[in-house]
């Protein structure tokens, strides 16, 4: 029988001391929940169907076509009109717009100018804040390494980091940015700065031994993560995650993802806006009725 989730079966077999030979498509292993930190070097090599002298040029080209480039997907950027709609689609803004129209009908031009100024300032602040969020997502993208040293067909070559694919053998040294998520297979006093991912203020020393399955990100010391800085030593590793499938890609996705969840403040403002609109409507109707019945005026004049 073929297991429904071959990637999961490989992990379980490895953890239980089962067979070391695995049959998993590299694409499935990138997309699947493979615990690379818990696997041995040989198991990682087998999962990515690669070897110490690297991928051939033909295999690298094939994987680049299959997986795509080692780049982060740019976040969606709504146009100016959509940004404007996001800011005015609020019940409090609707109330202010209605007040502006009524003031204009009554030719209260000072009130019209004041209310319009409030609306414009509110919308401008909201659009500026959205722009800052977009810049934060772009800043993450700019953290990626521009070039990388890889072993292809037994030869060490420098390539554009965007051309790295899962299964590539990469070499990193002091001063480099790690070009992708990497399972280390050789290290020499290797240390990386992972503050951007884990908040760890001190450089993390790397090794090649498997670590516990339940280890957190900061304890996976046999992995080096994309966009982190090598502060000491050098090492060689096998690429296990590129682009959006690297840890930095997951962070970029969370930053650029449009959140539908409303904060408590937003909920409270909506409740307040509904209360204000209801209160204004009641006062308006009461004033209309009082003017009609007490002053004996018709509804149009009232």
């Amino acid at each position: 029988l073929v297991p429904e989730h071959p990637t999961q079966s490989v992990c379980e077999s490895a953890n239980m001391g089962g067979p070391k030979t695995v049959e998993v498509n590299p694409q499935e292993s990138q997309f699947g929940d493979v615990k690379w930190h818990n696997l041995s070097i040989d198991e990682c090599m087998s999962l990515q169907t690669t070897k110490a002298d690297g991928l051939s040029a033909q295999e690298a080209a094939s994987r680049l076509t299959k997986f795509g480039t080692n780049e982060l997907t740019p976040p969606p950027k709504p146009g100016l009109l959509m940004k404007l709609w996001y800011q005015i689609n609020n019940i409090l803004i609707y109330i202010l717009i209605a007040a502006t129209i009524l003031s204009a009908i009554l030719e209260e031009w000072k009130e019209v100018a004041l209310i319009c100024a409030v609306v414009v300032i509110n919308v401008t602040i909201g659009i500026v804040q959205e722009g800052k969020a977009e810049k934060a997502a772009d800043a993450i993208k700019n953290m990626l390494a521009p070039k990388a040293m890889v072993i292809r067909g037994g030869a060490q070559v420098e390539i554009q980091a965007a051309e790295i694919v899962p299964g590539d053998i990469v070499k990193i040294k002091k001063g480099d940015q790690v070009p992708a998520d990497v399972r280390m297979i050789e290290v020499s006093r290797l240390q990386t700065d992972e503050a951007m991912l884990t908040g760890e203020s001190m450089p993390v020393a790397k090794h090649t031994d498997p670590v516990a399955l339940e280890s957190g990100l900061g304890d996976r010391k046999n992995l080096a993560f994309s966009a982190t800085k090598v502060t000491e030593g050098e090492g060689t590793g096998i690429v296990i995650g590129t682009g959006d499938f690297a840890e930095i890609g997951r962070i970029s996705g969370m930053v650029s993802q449009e959140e539908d969840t409303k904060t408590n403040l937003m909920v409270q403002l909506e409740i307040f806006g509904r209360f204000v609109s209801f209160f204004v409507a009641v006062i308006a109707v009461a004033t209309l009725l009082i003017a009609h019945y007490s002053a004996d005026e018709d509804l149009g004049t009232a």
Side-chain angles (χ1 to χ4, degrees):
L1 295 177
V2 178
E4 183 179 357
H5 302 288
T7 299
Q8 183 178 3
S9 298
V10 168
C11 294
E12 292 174 351
S13 297
N15 295 335
M16 294 184 296
K20 300 300 182 181
T21 303
V22 290
E23 296 180 359
V24 177
N25 187 305
Q27 185 176 22
E28 292 174 339
S29 64
Q30 181 174 18
F31 294 149
D33 187 24
V34 178
K35 307 300 183 183
W36 298 101
H37 58 280
N38 187 238
L39 301 180
S40 68
I41 294 174
D42 289 340
E43 288 167 335
C44 292
M45 288 282 195
S46 179
L47 274 171
Q48 292 288 10
T49 57
T50 190
K51 49 189 177 180
D53 59 359
L55 302 173
S56 66
Q58 294 80 6
E59 178 62 20
S62 174
R63 295 191 185 195
L64 186 62
T65 301
K66 184 183 296 183
F67 300 138
T69 57
N70 178 32
E71 296 175 308
L72 302 180
T73 302
K77 294 184 178 180
L80 181 59
L81 291 179
M82 186 58 67
K83 290 180 181 179
L84 187 62
W85 169 248
Y86 289 155
Q87 299 304 319
I88 66 176
N89 186 24
N90 182 291
I91 191 166
L92 290 176
I93 299 296
Y94 294 156
I95 293 173
L96 290 175
I97 292 174
T100 303
I101 295 173
L102 290 175
S103 298
I105 293 174
L106 297 174
E107 298 184 353
E108 299 288 345
W109 302 116
K110 289 184 179 180
E111 292 184 7
V112 170
L114 179 60
I115 297 173
C116 285
V118 171
V119 172
V120 169
I121 291 173
N122 181 77
V123 170
T124 301
I125 292 174
I127 291 177
V128 169
Q129 288 177 335
E130 284 193 13
K132 290 181 178 179
E134 290 179 357
K135 289 180 180 179
D138 290 338
I140 292 178
K141 185 176 180 180
N142 293 334
M143 292 178 183
L144 300 183
K147 294 182 180 295
M149 191 68 67
V150 301
I151 299 176
R152 293 267 177 94
Q156 186 170 307
V157 294
E158 185 179 57
I159 64 172
Q160 295 294 323
E163 299 175 0
I164 287 179
V165 295
D168 258 328
I169 303 298
V170 301
K171 299 186 76 66
I172 53 177
K173 64 182 185 304
K174 181 178 180 179
D176 289 347
Q177 277 182 296
V178 182
D181 282 3
V182 175
R183 169 61 162 93
M184 303 311 302
I185 59 178
E186 292 180 8
V187 295
S188 175
R189 299 181 295 105
L190 180 66
Q191 296 182 16
T192 62
D193 180 2
E194 299 178 355
M196 59 178 294
L197 291 177
T198 65
E200 176 62 51
S201 59
M202 299 297 292
V204 179
K206 297 298 179 178
H207 59 74
T208 61
D209 299 326
V211 298
L213 181 65
E214 65 277 6
S215 298
L217 198 64
D219 295 324
R220 300 176 185 180
K221 297 182 179 180
N222 55 7
L223 305 183
F225 300 103
S226 178
T228 57
K229 188 84 169 180
V230 180
T231 60
E232 189 66 40
E234 59 184 4
T236 304
I238 178 173
V239 174
I240 58 174
T242 60
D244 292 334
F245 295 97
E247 289 297 331
I248 190 67
R250 296 185 179 95
I251 292 176
S252 177
M254 288 188 289
V255 170
S256 60
Q257 184 179 13
E258 184 177 336
E259 291 288 348
D260 295 328
T261 304
K262 296 181 179 179
T263 64
N264 185 56
L265 177 61
M266 295 172 65
V267 173
Q268 294 299 322
L269 285 174
E270 285 193 1
I271 295 173
F272 176 73
R274 293 191 188 101
F275 173 77
V276 170
S277 60
F278 176 76
F279 181 76
V280 169
V282 170
I283 294 298
V285 171
T287 303
L288 178 65
L289 294 177
I290 291 172
H292 176 61
Y293 291 107
S294 298
D296 197 24
E297 296 179 350
D298 58 50
L299 290 176
T301 303

